[in-house]
Amino acid sequence: SLRIGEKLGFGFMRLWIHWGEGGKDLIANPEKGVYQWSAIDRDVVSSKRYGFHNNIFTPFGTPQWASPYPERTAIDIHVPGYSVWLPKDLSSWTDFITALVSRYQGSVSNWEIWNEPHLPTGSIYWRDSTSNYVTLVKSAFEVIKRQQPGSTVWLGGQGGRRYIPFYRAFLDAGGFPYYDVLAMHGSFPEGKLFWDLEKERGLAPKPWGATEWHAVLVNMSISGNVLASEGELCRRMLTDLLQQLKFGAGRITLFDLINIAEKETLSFAKASGLFTHCSGMFRRLPELEPRLCAVVIKNFIDRGGERIRYEREYDFGAQKAVLLRVGAKPLLVVWNEGPAPASLDV
């Protein structure tokens, strides 16, 4: 995956850090006081080899030994039931964060605290109360800032509009001081919706970025089993990207490089009650090969690089355009939203 990311021109990665949830070899803290770093070490070394820098670490998943509900071993989609709660002893979490930052602070300075927390039953990754999530974030923030003052702490990824009630509860529980950047997940994320809640409370809005961008993700709940064409997905991807630039996303992290499932299997998954999605830049089957979106995003990165600034947009009816700035150079992106192909309107 890193080799593919390098070829596409990506410059950093987000790495899930399995505190106690995941495959046996992935778990970083399998028992109290015991840490195994080999999987993370391997990824850090590989990221440097392929030129990835300024990466994001996302620790999540309470270990069974630290959970208040160790008996809940049933899997909810892909995480065990014991892993989605504040640990029964908060020191188990702060000890882990202390050890994690101590080991990797020379390589990592961006920390996203947990993956997609939500109100109870709203996320498979967090079933606990919002106030307990504030406790989790606050304790991690204090440990990280004490060990690595110049680091950036990201709030666990917010999944768009459906996370507004959670973020409101998070603010009401006093969580605002304990993160630096709002992390957004999904498609067409809108940081402005969250800024409005902050302004209502007299708070100065914080910067935001997409730490899990669902550029071309289609899940098994496709309406009427009608699949978008590769061209339609590419247009969705680029307009999504342009909107994020317009609203000031500090960084955008793609999910995913290689398909988890191929799009031809989604109707079967829906009929069978299986949860899966097609989201990669590359097909995995029948063999590894780029999708059209990989070619399009490669072209965009080649012309824009890692740092792009939104300037303005234009509406010519069916044709739309956005003017970007790459350093001192302009970059104009034009697309057609009409029902039929059309020549460029000049």
Side-chain angles (χ1 to χ4, degrees):
S1 290
L2 290 176
R3 185 181 298 116
I4 290 173
E6 178 197 34
K7 291 185 179 300
L8 289 178
F10 298 153
F12 61 89
M13 70 174 186
R14 171 180 178 245
L15 183 65
W16 276 15
I17 305 297
H18 297 267
W19 176 25
E21 177 281 319
K24 182 180 179 182
D25 295 335
L26 294 177
I27 295 175
N29 191 187
E31 56 185 280
K32 185 175 178 60
V34 175
Y35 303 105
Q36 52 184 32
W37 306 115
S38 58
I40 305 173
D41 286 348
R42 185 169 58 248
D43 286 333
V44 168
V45 169
S46 295
S47 72
K48 291 179 180 178
R49 180 185 308 133
Y50 290 106
F52 286 69
H53 54 87
N54 207 19
N55 299 322
I56 302 172
F57 272 18
T58 306
F60 77 102
T62 302
Q64 189 173 16
W65 61 265
S67 174
Y69 304 106
E71 73 283 358
R72 299 187 181 183
T73 56
I75 301 298
D76 184 355
I77 298 182
H78 68 86
V79 296
Y82 59 74
S83 69
V84 295
W85 310 90
L86 186 74
K88 57 190 175 186
D89 181 352
L90 190 62
S91 68
S92 60
W93 166 247
T94 54
D95 287 349
F96 171 64
I97 294 297
T98 298
L100 181 69
V101 176
S102 177
R103 187 172 185 86
Y104 297 107
Q105 61 183 332
S107 302
V108 178
S109 60
N110 290 277
W111 310 90
E112 181 183 7
I113 307 305
W114 218 261
N115 184 59
E116 298 179 0
H118 202 309
L119 298 174
T121 76
S123 166
I124 65 169
Y125 302 101
W126 187 255
R127 299 294 195 187
D128 214 325
S129 67
T130 306
S131 60
N132 276 351
Y133 178 67
V134 171
T135 297
L136 185 91
V137 171
K138 178 178 184 292
S139 59
F141 181 88
E142 291 172 344
V143 168
I144 293 168
K145 292 297 185 177
R146 184 167 57 247
Q147 291 185 259
Q148 193 184 32
S151 61
T152 301
V153 175
W154 296 64
L155 186 67
Q158 306 294 289
R161 290 176 180 270
R162 70 185 181 89
Y163 268 68
I164 291 297
F166 168 81
Y167 192 60
R168 182 181 293 113
F170 175 83
L171 294 177
D172 291 344
F176 188 73
Y178 303 113
Y179 78 94
D180 301 310
V181 181
L182 177 70
M184 299 286 286
H185 289 187
S187 302
F188 294 93
E190 297 179 67
K192 180 181 180 299
L193 298 174
F194 295 80
W195 294 341
D196 289 344
L197 292 180
E198 295 161 1
K199 291 175 182 176
E200 286 174 7
R201 291 158 175 77
L203 303 171
K206 291 187 177 179
W208 73 282
T211 55
E212 187 176 303
W213 173 36
H214 297 172
V216 292
L217 187 148
V218 181
N219 68 27
M220 78 301 171
S221 62
I222 46 175
S223 176
N225 291 346
V226 177
L227 287 167
S229 69
E230 291 292 287
E232 290 168 333
L233 286 174
C234 287
R235 184 171 66 182
R236 189 191 86 179
M237 174 183 71
L238 277 185
T239 53
D240 186 347
L241 177 60
L242 292 170
Q243 178 175 293
Q244 291 182 63
L245 294 174
K246 176 180 179 178
F247 290 132
R251 65 164 61 194
I252 301 171
T253 313
L254 176 74
F255 180 91
D256 200 4
L257 283 174
I258 302 175
N259 283 346
I260 291 175
E262 304 306 333
K263 66 178 185 179
E264 294 85 357
T265 69
L266 296 180
S267 58
F268 169 79
K270 180 180 180 180
S272 304
L274 302 174
F275 182 88
T276 190
H277 50 74
C278 175
S279 56
M281 295 284 107
F282 280 67
R283 292 182 65 100
R284 187 185 302 273
L285 297 172
E287 60 185 5
L288 190 67
E289 63 177 359
R291 298 172 64 188
L292 178 60
C293 54
V295 178
V296 171
I297 203 69
K298 169 65 173 170
N299 258 307
F300 185 85
I301 293 173
D302 282 351
R303 285 159 176 76
E306 290 187 19
R307 296 185 180 276
I308 308 172
R309 188 174 72 254
Y310 169 91
E311 292 256 321
R312 60 175 300 180
E313 59 194 80
Y314 306 88
D315 188 341
F316 304 119
Q319 293 187 28
K320 317 291 183 184
V322 168
L323 177 63
L324 305 172
R325 187 69 57 178
V326 182
K329 296 181 179 179
L331 174 63
L332 186 67
V333 181
V334 183
W335 69 97
N336 173 33
E337 294 187 355
S343 58
L344 185 64
D345 187 348
V346 294

